[in-house]
Amino acid sequence: SGKNNVLKLTKCRFNKDIIIKTCINGSSEMVTNMSMSLVNILYNMQLMKYIGTNGVVAYGIIMYVGFIFVGTYMGYAVGSAPVISYGAGNKDELKNLFKRSLTIIIVSSVVMTFIAEIIAGYLAGIFVSYDNNLLELTTEAIRIYAVSYLISGVNIFASSFFTALNNGVVSAVISFMRMFVFQIVMILLLPVVLGISGIWTAVIAAEVLSVVISVMFLVKNRKKYSY
């Protein structure tokens, strides 16, 4: 009610330290988006090599379908970030937020993976019901790929969690390893070992390796942030 509580327009000041810190803290989101484009190109190259155009079509459908499920994790991670950041100064509140968030992510992961497995054929049929061979290929691909939903939620939340705690370096490392390093290695390696199935399994292997990194950072920084 006093004059000191009134917001006023003032002259902007350039503060390079804050700008640099902001850019570093948001680097994980930059890494994620840049990596997705490069990984998609590599996926398409491998699909053309091992399957052909049908593989590229199936992968496109998986991306459309997958965003429905992965988007749920992303929505929660982004939506909870401001609350986590605000509660970082309160140890009890941060512990409560962390515990509840992990519970929500894990439970929703199981539920959404189960749903994806059950309706895989229906989802594929929305796009390619006109071609039985392509429908069968896409259905199988969705069912294999959907296993990654069990794990990806934890990785997405972990990266967002450290961004909310203003630790952009850890967040970027998790994103970079998950979206770039591990996926590229698995996309190149697994098809050689497992054939066509290896292409769809690559993302599962990448998520498994990433969750190890995520858990390692969560355990290592637990005392530092008291969550």
Side-chain angles (χ1 to χ4, degrees):
S1 58
K3 292 184 177 180
N4 293 333
N5 295 328
V6 178
L7 292 175
K8 296 181 180 180
L9 293 175
T10 60
K11 186 178 180 180
C12 296
R13 292 185 300 167
F14 180 79
N15 191 321
K16 64 178 178 57
D17 293 334
I18 292 178
I19 293 175
I20 292 172
K21 194 171 185 179
T22 302
C23 290
I24 293 174
N25 199 39
S27 59
S28 61
E29 286 73 21
M30 179 191 71
V31 168
T32 297
N33 286 285
M34 289 178 63
S35 299
M36 282 177 63
S37 299
L38 295 173
V39 168
N40 285 342
I41 292 171
L42 185 56
Y43 253 112
N44 287 332
M45 290 173 63
Q46 289 292 77
L47 287 165
M48 287 299 296
K49 178 180 178 181
Y50 286 91
I51 305 176
T53 54
N54 279 356
V56 176
V57 172
Y59 181 66
I61 294 170
I62 288 175
M63 291 296 98
Y64 283 120
V65 170
F67 199 77
I68 297 173
F69 297 95
V70 176
T72 303
Y73 305 137
M74 294 177 65
Y76 181 83
V78 172
S80 63
V83 182
I84 292 171
S85 182
Y86 182 76
N90 186 321
K91 294 180 180 180
D92 292 334
E93 184 65 20
L94 185 60
K95 287 180 181 179
N96 183 47
L97 285 168
F98 180 73
K99 183 179 179 180
R100 289 178 182 273
S101 294
L102 276 186
T103 301
I104 291 171
I105 291 292
I106 291 172
V107 171
S108 62
S109 296
V110 174
V111 172
M112 288 195 293
T113 302
F114 178 76
I115 292 174
E117 295 290 346
I118 294 298
I119 66 173
Y122 174 76
L123 293 171
I126 295 175
F127 298 92
V128 290
S129 59
Y130 58 86
D131 188 319
N132 288 332
N133 291 332
L134 186 54
L135 177 61
E136 185 178 344
L137 171 67
T138 306
T139 302
E140 180 184 1
I142 291 175
R143 284 178 175 155
I144 295 173
Y145 195 95
V147 177
S148 67
Y149 303 153
L150 279 171
I151 315 163
S152 60
V154 174
N155 291 322
I156 291 171
F157 173 74
S159 178
S160 177
F161 183 71
F162 284 109
T163 297
L165 293 177
N166 203 27
N167 193 331
V169 174
V170 171
S171 179
V173 169
I174 293 173
S175 294
F176 181 72
M177 298 302 290
R178 171 179 173 255
M179 295 299 298
F180 191 76
V181 177
F182 291 147
Q183 286 211 44
I184 287 179
V185 171
M186 292 302 137
I187 292 169
L188 294 173
L189 177 64
L190 290 187
V192 177
V193 179
L194 302 176
I196 295 174
S197 296
I199 299 178
W200 313 124
T201 310
V203 69
I204 302 173
E207 293 290 359
V208 170
L209 293 173
S210 299
V211 82
V212 174
I213 300 293
S214 296
V215 171
M216 182 186 72
F217 278 121
L218 287 171
V219 171
K220 183 179 179 180
N221 289 278
R222 190 163 190 173
K223 290 184 178 179
K224 179 179 179 180
Y225 296 106
S226 301
Y227 50 79

